Amino acid sequence: MKPAAVEDFALRSELIQFNHASYGLSSRRVIAEGERLRRQIESDPTLHLGSELTRRLAAQTISVAEMLGVDSTRLTLCTNATSAAAAIVASVPLNADSTVVVLDVEYSSIRRAWEIACAKAGARLVSVAVPVPFESAAALLAVLDDQVPGLVDYLQISAITSSTAFRMPAPALGAWVEQRGGRLIVDAAHVPGHIPLLPELWGAAAVFGTLHKWFPTLRPVGLLWLTPELDIRPAEVSLTWDSPDLVERFSWPGTFDPVPRLCTETAVAQWLEWQDAGLLDDCEQLADTADQAMVDIGARRTATTEFRPPRLRSFILDGVTAPQVKDALRVAGIRAWVGHGAGGECLLRLATHIYNDENDVDRVTNRIQEVLSR
């Protein structure tokens, strides 16, 4: 029998969902709130999409900032992580003397955004290969020292990497780039609702991410956190682009659907109920169960215990291809992220959530074991 919490979602009952980390999943409560808000907006768009909207978005931003434990004057909600990243990459000053360092485990579109920006400015882009399985912050710092001599303007990392799903040693990397005269940019797409958001501890100058991956909010809701000295503007020049207020600056990227942002308080409140009931702790225990089960059938972890996130795990599957694994899971009604790592290895990523149980772990493990044994 599935956990009672499965009723909180509209997920098809015959599916096994381990791909929560890709898109998240809106809860029925938040979907209902979104429908209410849409009816309200349509009753008087001139009012609800005008100046009133900025006030409401500011209130949502303050609520999110308080929950995440960060200064609300440094935080804004935005369309998604991609738009927040685009704002950063388009705004930071680059020239022919600049050096940007990007790790090869970063999300592909983020790497591409830096490639385009550096090419336009004539800046040097250095891609650094991260050892996988990831076992040591010291080893990565040694690679950086070896491959990146001299000054650095920006270092792009993820707090939790996407495909390989391991926690980066952000404070150590922040200290490294500061010693090189540069700034740390952090992709925190897998952070809010999963692990603490700690930009100042990380030594970050800018952090971008999403709420819709680990909170049950509607899609999409992005976030952007900035140090005061960085003047970051939206990539699209809209009516509020020149605003000195960070929230207002990102409140109107042209005509858009504000409902996902307006639902964040509802989503966070429900997430807190799950946390208080111990359901998120159960997810962590289930992730550990899945982790050991996958290793028992021959999968290899992408990181040692110190660097594994609570509810997101990735595995290297030797001797098989990503299409083989995708097809096997699809036929079995199992949804999980499968792809290739930077070195061409086949990766399987599992995200546990409150609708999963040990039967789900057994089914995905058995299916992967079948693929590996062919």
Side-chain angles (χ1 to χ4, degrees):
M1 180 178 293
K2 299 294 290 184
V6 74
E7 297 302 323
D8 286 340
F9 303 94
L11 190 67
R12 284 165 47 193
S13 59
E14 72 273 17
L15 292 181
I16 293 177
Q17 171 70 305
F18 281 115
N19 197 27
H20 190 91
S22 283
Y23 310 108
L25 195 62
S26 305
S27 67
R28 294 182 189 274
R29 182 189 302 181
V30 175
I31 292 171
E33 174 64 4
E35 291 173 349
R36 184 191 72 81
L37 287 168
R38 286 199 171 90
R39 287 193 297 270
Q40 180 188 68
I41 289 171
E42 295 308 320
S43 72
D44 190 348
T46 303
L47 172 66
H48 297 303
L49 294 179
S51 58
E52 175 191 285
L53 179 60
T54 300
R55 293 193 296 271
R56 296 175 74 177
L57 291 175
Q60 294 285 334
T61 303
I62 291 170
S63 176
V64 169
E66 290 176 350
M67 188 273 168
L68 296 177
V70 298
D71 185 345
S72 62
T73 64
R74 297 188 181 186
L75 187 77
T76 185
L77 301 179
C78 56
T79 306
N80 50 43
T82 303
S83 65
I88 294 170
V89 175
S91 297
V92 296
L94 293 174
N95 56 51
D97 296 323
S98 301
T99 296
V100 176
V101 180
V102 179
L103 306 181
D104 70 345
V105 292
E106 295 306 298
Y107 197 65
S108 58
S109 67
I110 304 303
R111 296 200 312 270
R112 183 62 181 139
W114 282 112
E115 288 175 358
I116 293 170
C118 287
K120 288 181 177 179
R124 184 170 73 119
L125 179 68
V126 182
S127 178
V128 173
V130 177
V132 180
F134 190 76
E135 300 175 347
S136 165
L140 177 55
L141 293 173
V143 172
L144 285 166
D145 284 336
D146 179 63
Q147 296 189 21
V148 191
L151 297 177
V152 170
D153 291 81
Y154 301 99
L155 169 63
Q156 171 72 62
I157 72 165
S158 291
I160 298 176
T161 61
S162 181
S163 303
T164 49
F166 53 72
R167 297 178 69 160
M168 296 297 293
L173 294 169
W176 180 87
V177 72
E178 183 180 10
Q179 291 170 1
R180 298 301 188 91
R183 291 168 167 163
L184 183 69
I185 311 296
V186 180
D187 179 344
H190 292 286
V191 170
H194 188 194
I195 65 171
L197 181 68
L198 302 169
E200 291 168 322
L201 176 64
W202 299 336
V207 177
F208 60 90
T210 61
L211 295 181
H212 62 259
K213 285 186 182 290
W214 295 98
F215 289 112
T217 191
L218 298 177
R219 298 175 210 91
V221 185
L223 64 82
L224 178 63
W225 180 95
L226 300 169
T227 50
E229 62 268 20
L230 277 185
D231 182 26
I232 302 300
R233 303 282 162 169
E236 61 275 274
V237 180
S238 66
L239 294 175
T240 58
W241 191 90
D242 291 303
S243 174
D245 181 79
L246 185 60
V247 172
E248 185 176 44
R249 194 183 306 162
F250 283 83
S251 290
W252 192 256
T255 302
F256 80 115
D257 179 10
V259 169
R261 301 188 204 182
L262 296 175
C263 285
T264 54
E265 281 188 312
T266 302
V268 168
Q270 187 167 30
W271 183 94
L272 289 170
E273 291 176 13
W274 296 338
Q275 182 183 60
D276 292 343
L279 298 181
L280 301 180
D281 290 338
D282 293 343
C283 293
E284 293 186 25
Q285 295 177 15
L286 190 63
D288 289 337
T289 298
D291 189 277
Q292 188 58 54
M294 292 299 299
V295 171
D296 288 345
I297 63 170
R300 292 192 291 131
R301 298 182 176 103
T302 56
T304 56
T305 302
E306 178 185 358
F307 301 105
R308 290 200 288 271
R311 307 195 299 274
L312 184 65
R313 308 295 169 86
S314 189
F315 307 91
I316 302 168
L317 304 181
D318 296 311
V320 297
T321 66
Q324 289 173 329
V325 178
K326 286 181 180 180
D327 288 345
L329 295 181
R330 178 182 54 79
V331 170
I334 301 171
R335 304 295 186 251
W337 184 90
V338 180
H340 292 107
E345 66 275 22
C346 179
L347 296 174
L348 167 69
R349 190 186 70 189
L350 302 178
T352 55
H353 203 52
I354 63 172
Y355 44 69
N356 293 122
D357 60 16
E358 292 193 6
N359 289 328
D360 294 346
V361 172
D362 289 342
R363 283 185 60 180
V364 71
T365 303
N366 291 338
R367 196 62 177 170
I368 295 301
Q369 187 172 30
E370 290 175 8
V371 177
L372 293 176
S373 63
R374 289 175 186 171

